[in-house]
Amino acid sequence: MTQTMQDPKDILIIGSGVGGLTAGIILAKLNHRVTVVEKNRLAGGLMRSYTRDGIDCPVGVHYMGSLDRGQPLRRLWDYLGVTPLIPLERMGSEGVIDRYIFDDFTFDLPEGIDAFEENLRSSCPGDNSHITSIISDLRHTSHVLSSLDILISPAMTFLSPESFTSMGEHLQRMGCSSRLLSVLGVPPTLIGVPLQECPAFYYHMTLASYLLSSWRLACSSSQMADAFVSHLASVGGDVLTGDGAEKILIESGKVKGIVMESGRTLKAGAIIAAIHPATVAAMLPGDALRASYAERISQLENTKGLFGVNLAIDAGAHAALPYNIYQLYSEDGVLSRGIFHQLRRSTQAGINLLSMITTSSIEEWNEWIRTPSGQRDQDYMDAKEDKARRFIGEATKLFGSLTGAKIVDIYTPLTIRDWVHSPDGSAYGILRSTRQVMKTAFLKRTLIEGLFLAGQNNLAPGIMGTMLGSFQTVRNIIGHERFSREVIGDFL
Ligand SMILES: Cc1cc2nc3c(=O)[nH]c(=O)nc-3n(C[C@H](O)[C@H](O)[C@H](O)COP(=O)(O)OP(=O)(O)OC[C@H]3O[C@@H](n4cnc5c(N)ncnc54)[C@H](O)[C@@H]3O)c2cc1C
């Protein structure tokens, strides 16, 4: 087989998160020689959990949508071959996937658009006509998502100019009540975008994917990471861990390989950077990118970081819950603060794990910004613990007394920054806001032959958004015709 840019033989992938591993498995299945390089000792990026006091703590996988048989994410997993390796547990068994608790009312997000519509109508009786319109748009996007048109139709013909306008402004123009605005403000937090800035398309995709069906892992998320890694190996791909990519080598406008932190050079016909584009730009020779492209990357706004607390609690006192709880605070119908809670069985008998997560910007941790994880002082530990204790206090309003609960671990945006090299500890990468729609559209065109981007910054964040983005990257590499024949043809 001749090696052309449409068909590069040796492909290096920088970053072993779900984005890099997904691209790796598809290309290895198509008989490319694939090597994924990972700076951390263990592969998996945000997908991988960690263990403290024998308890497994999740990082970037708390729940996922659309994994029922025939649903979009499940079809991607089936194509890759990872489904049998990842035990899952369906959420919503009590009619609730997410419980939203506001000061003055509670809303249950159920499985299914019909049930969602019914709950909206009973919670917001004065919004009937608005709800009809919102549900109609949601059904349309759910259909687009289910048909996987996003992979089949490269021109994205299902998008209209309205797809990129603000969902929040649209709802306000319709005259939705502040209660309805509060409820509808929660789903875009799952991709780190405030409702007011969230393009309608991203809004509907995120909500629709969880309404189709929602799932938790019935295993540690390290098992999910291992499933992707072992499956990549079984289709002939390699993962090199514990050595980060430092420089991307370019010759005559074309990628040649990577210089690793260890000094080792790896050659490649194509490189997929499944990491943040700003990190990629810093790895390129100074003149490799057009000045305008480099400038735009440097100006891109990222999503905020997250602060998380994992708490071990007596399973006898607090039973695991089959749904998540969001404690929410609104001001004038605008969501101002929220805390996500997930109470589930832990990997230790008799102990349940309560994970609590909220938004936190890196500025809050400015004092320690120049220090690496594992080397921060006691003041940092104290600041983390103080904040965690305030959270635990708030959580007692939801769960009752948490006496005897033990903090297993606390993480800040600095932790995430250092673990996966995410700029400023951004949880979901580039902010997918209406303001940045045009700025992010150009990103794929690096104009360097053989250099492609993947990962959550390519299309959208979240496990589903990241994986769809990686499928699209492979389509760009091998061309739409071959992609339709050899990839899509296999699972549609
Ligand atoms: C706290 C938290 C909770 C979340 N919860 C959910 C959830 O419940 N459901 C959901 O769908 N999504 C969730 N997400 C989002 C989801 O985890 C991410 O969108 C997704 O995992 C991103 O995958 P990725 O491959 O793009 O990036 P990453 O997982 O960040 O992978 C990038 C990899 O590249 C490596 N790397 C970076 N620089 C280099 C280099 N120079 N050389 C070599 N390797 C390098 C990193 O170490 C990392 O392993 C959550 C995210 C966070 C932070």
Side-chain angles (χ1 to χ4, degrees):
M1 192 161 58
T2 48
Q3 186 175 315
T4 67
M5 226 358 100
Q6 282 299 304
D7 192 14
K9 196 75 203 140
D10 291 296
I11 301 180
L12 283 175
I13 300 179
I14 307 174
S16 71
V18 70
L21 292 172
T22 297
I25 295 174
I26 311 169
L27 288 161
K29 273 166 69 100
L30 297 174
N31 294 322
H32 292 268
R33 269 198 304 265
V34 173
T35 305
V36 179
V37 297
E38 169 57 51
K39 72 173 181 65
N40 290 336
R41 199 172 48 81
L42 294 169
L46 291 169
M47 215 184 352
R48 181 167 291 282
S49 50
Y50 59 96
T51 305
R52 293 282 182 278
D53 300 337
I55 295 178
D56 186 79
C57 301
V59 182
V61 188
H62 296 269
Y63 67 135
M64 296 166 282
S66 302
L67 275 165
D68 202 1
R69 200 179 287 272
Q71 292 186 343
L73 187 55
R74 170 69 179 266
R75 271 148 80 199
L76 303 187
W77 284 26
D78 288 349
Y79 169 80
L80 296 180
V82 296
T83 310
L85 307 173
I86 308 173
L88 292 169
E89 169 182 305
R90 192 178 194 128
M91 298 178 68
S93 59
E94 293 179 7
V96 191
I97 291 168
D98 292 326
R99 176 157 290 167
Y100 300 167
I101 301 186
F102 296 92
D103 280 346
D104 49 348
F105 73 104
T106 294
F107 178 84
D108 284 340
L109 185 104
E111 180 177 313
I113 296 184
D114 288 349
F116 177 60
E117 178 176 4
E118 204 175 296
N119 288 6
L120 283 180
R121 290 196 191 283
S122 57
S123 280
C124 309
D127 284 295
N128 262 325
S129 61
H130 310 137
I131 292 169
T132 304
S133 156
I134 291 159
I135 293 293
S136 154
D137 290 347
L138 192 58
R139 281 192 205 287
H140 170 72
T141 308
S142 183
H143 174 74
V144 168
L145 183 64
S146 298
S147 64
L148 284 174
D149 256 9
I150 200 156
L151 297 180
I152 300 164
S153 151
M156 304 254 238
T157 44
F158 48 85
L159 294 173
S160 65
E162 290 75 48
S163 307
F164 299 111
T165 57
S166 156
M167 188 66 191
E169 282 173 19
H170 173 62
L171 296 174
Q172 265 164 346
R173 263 198 312 273
M174 279 201 293
C176 295
S177 67
S178 59
R179 178 176 282 212
L180 184 57
L181 284 174
S182 296
V183 168
L184 296 176
V186 185
T189 62
L190 285 166
I191 55 168
V193 192
L195 177 67
Q196 210 53 25
E197 296 176 45
C198 190
F201 172 68
Y202 286 109
Y203 183 89
H204 288 126
M205 288 289 270
T206 307
L207 178 53
S209 87
Y210 284 92
L211 285 172
L212 278 170
S213 65
S214 289
W215 304 77
R216 273 178 195 171
L217 293 172
C219 61
S220 89
S221 41
S222 287
Q223 187 173 331
M224 176 172 169
D226 290 338
F228 275 76
V229 172
S230 67
H231 197 66
L232 174 62
S234 75
V235 290
D238 283 329
V239 183
L240 300 179
T241 56
D243 196 2
E246 196 170 70
K247 280 189 206 143
I248 296 176
L249 299 172
I250 310 284
E251 225 176 82
S252 315
K254 204 167 151 183
V255 299
K256 282 287 155 208
I258 300 176
V259 180
M260 305 298 289
E261 280 162 8
S262 61
R264 181 178 175 192
T265 300
L266 302 173
K267 294 230 162 86
I271 293 173
I272 301 176
I275 54 176
H276 196 284
T279 315
V280 182
M283 287 182 187
L284 290 165
D287 56 353
L289 289 174
R290 273 169 307 140
S292 57
Y293 183 98
E295 194 185 325
R296 279 192 205 155
I297 287 188
S298 69
Q299 287 169 354
L300 281 176
E301 190 184 345
N302 290 310
T303 55
K304 291 218 167 73
L306 295 172
F307 174 84
V309 182
N310 284 304
L311 202 63
I313 55 183
D314 176 7
H318 297 280
L321 294 176
Y323 51 86
N324 307 311
I325 299 182
Y326 288 79
Q327 173 85 65
L328 300 152
Y329 303 90
S330 297
E331 274 166 35
D332 303 327
V334 177
L335 195 63
S336 56
R337 197 164 76 87
I339 308 172
F340 166 88
H341 302 79
Q342 187 172 73
L343 176 56
R344 51 178 305 173
R345 274 197 312 276
S346 84
T347 39
Q348 281 211 352
I351 295 179
N352 282 338
L353 184 71
L354 176 61
S355 301
M356 298 182 273
I357 306 177
T358 197
T359 305
S360 167
S361 67
I362 196 132
E363 287 78 32
E364 196 180 342
W365 309 94
N366 220 5
E367 205 177 326
W368 301 279
I369 208 153
R370 298 197 192 288
T371 56
S373 287
Q375 293 179 30
R376 300 198 177 101
D377 60 15
Q378 191 56 41
D379 288 352
Y380 174 72
M381 304 300 164
D382 293 346
K384 279 201 307 184
E385 184 151 343
D386 278 355
K387 193 174 167 88
R389 297 260 166 234
R390 287 199 298 277
F391 268 44
I392 296 167
E394 287 187 71
T396 56
K397 290 186 221 140
L398 305 176
F399 300 99
S401 164
L402 291 169
T403 317
K406 184 168 172 267
I407 296 175
V408 184
D409 190 51
I410 307 168
Y411 59 85
T412 73
L414 296 175
T415 326
I416 302 287
R417 177 197 69 180
D418 295 354
W419 173 239
V420 293
H421 270 183
S422 168
D424 290 342
S426 163
Y428 305 102
I430 295 167
L431 182 75
R432 298 280 159 185
S433 64
T434 44
R435 264 178 296 129
Q436 299 208 122
V437 164
M438 294 316 291
K439 289 187 194 154
T440 50
F442 79 96
L443 269 179
K444 292 190 180 90
R445 293 190 296 274
T446 61
L447 293 189
I448 296 174
E449 199 178 333
L451 179 62
F452 301 88
L453 300 178
Q456 66 177 356
N457 295 290
N458 195 40
L459 172 71
I463 299 301
M464 167 100 118
T466 304
M467 290 186 68
L468 283 170
S470 290
F471 273 77
Q472 283 190 342
T473 301
V474 171
R475 185 180 66 196
N476 292 344
I477 296 175
I478 67 172
H480 183 63
E481 200 188 313
R482 182 171 171 217
F483 183 78
S484 299
R485 208 176 47 242
E486 296 182 31
V487 180
I488 293 287
D490 247 25
F491 66 98
L492 279 189

